[in-house]
Amino acid sequence: MENRSHPTGRATRLCIVRHGETAWNAVRRIQGHIDVPLSAVGHAQARAAGNALASENLAAIYSSDLTRARQTAEATAHLTHLPLQLTIGLRERHYGVFQGLTYAEAAVRFPEAHARHQARDDAHFAPPDGESLHDLAQRIAGVCDDIVRRHAGETVAMFTHGGVLDVLYRRALGRPLTAPRDFAIPNAGINWIEVVDDCWSVLTWAERDHLDRVRDEL
């Protein structure tokens, strides 16, 4: 549980951006660790996000090393003249045997595992050969806590994936991993979290005014 009592330290602001749209997003095909590039729509969204963030006083830019996140981050890195730091730990959840399938195909080929995945009632359940919500949350917590320590009192951009944003939102609001998702995670949406003395809070979520259209297929 996060410490939410009497913060006294400097605020670290995390600007967390989901990657732009891919062709697989458009057909609800599960990507996970499969390295899928942005579509033309996704590249336009990346440029729009970069323009929206160009005036922010960013101290650093981190990105998942997967192509779709890296390509989204490159526009902001170019406009802010900051180096892009690729981080394997910011990758999407590994969805095991579901990867490469649409959600409908996964339901047909792996009905029991798909049903358990959709139920989201056991944070320790992992699709065959995949990663559980618990393990994903532990991985992301380690990476983000390290970034916050390195950039105390600064503003940092992080480009990552829908599953990562899901667990970060829950951490900031103290929600369990097993609760149904009732919040949006649009492609190339901009999300702000503030961290003070290990107390996480959501400043704004799913900003999309910079985008012509967005998709949230999760």
Side-chain angles (χ1 to χ4, degrees):
M1 173 141 341
E2 296 303 319
N3 175 15
R4 298 173 183 275
S5 61
H6 309 296
T8 59
R10 293 180 297 165
T12 303
R13 296 170 72 231
L14 303 177
C15 176
I16 311 168
V17 185
R18 186 184 177 199
H19 64 79
E21 185 175 308
T22 70
W24 283 27
N25 287 142
V27 297
R28 290 176 50 81
R29 191 170 297 280
I30 301 166
Q31 297 170 116
H33 283 203
I34 296 178
D35 204 9
V36 182
L38 294 180
S39 64
V41 170
H43 279 291
Q45 292 173 336
R47 292 191 294 271
N51 289 332
L53 297 176
S55 61
E56 297 290 343
N57 185 28
L58 298 177
I61 301 176
Y62 292 85
S63 174
S64 158
D65 66 326
L66 294 176
T67 299
R68 57 193 183 272
R70 174 181 56 77
Q71 289 178 329
T72 307
E74 284 172 346
T76 301
H78 174 74
L79 291 171
T80 58
H81 307 289
L82 288 170
L84 182 55
Q85 303 183 57
L86 299 181
T87 305
I88 292 175
L90 287 175
R91 282 187 178 191
E92 177 62 283
R93 180 182 178 186
H94 197 301
Y95 288 100
V97 296
F98 296 161
Q99 294 186 166
L101 304 176
T102 65
Y103 287 94
E105 290 167 346
V108 172
R109 291 186 57 180
F110 304 100
E112 182 178 348
H114 181 266
R116 291 194 64 189
H117 173 71
Q118 293 297 99
R120 199 183 177 122
D121 56 3
D122 180 2
H124 292 275
F125 167 75
D129 301 324
E131 186 176 21
S132 71
L133 282 171
H134 173 269
D135 289 346
L136 171 66
Q138 292 294 108
R139 166 164 64 87
I140 297 307
V143 173
C144 291
D145 287 348
D146 182 59
I147 290 173
V148 169
R149 281 192 295 269
R150 276 185 273 165
H151 297 282
E154 297 179 328
T155 300
V156 177
M158 297 164 49
F159 290 80
T160 186
H161 305 267
V164 176
L165 279 154
D166 180 274
V167 299
L168 289 176
Y169 183 89
R170 294 167 190 274
R171 177 179 182 177
L173 292 183
R175 293 191 182 183
L177 294 172
T178 54
R181 180 163 75 85
D182 58 0
F183 50 93
I185 309 178
N187 284 117
I190 296 174
N191 312 276
W192 288 91
I193 285 176
E194 183 176 81
V195 184
V196 182
D197 289 348
D198 295 326
C199 175
W200 287 52
S201 59
V202 173
L203 298 178
T204 65
W205 194 260
E207 293 180 8
R208 62 194 91 183
D209 290 347
H210 57 292
L211 301 172
D212 290 332
R213 66 183 181 90
V214 293
R215 184 185 305 276
D216 177 5
E217 85 290 353
L218 293 179

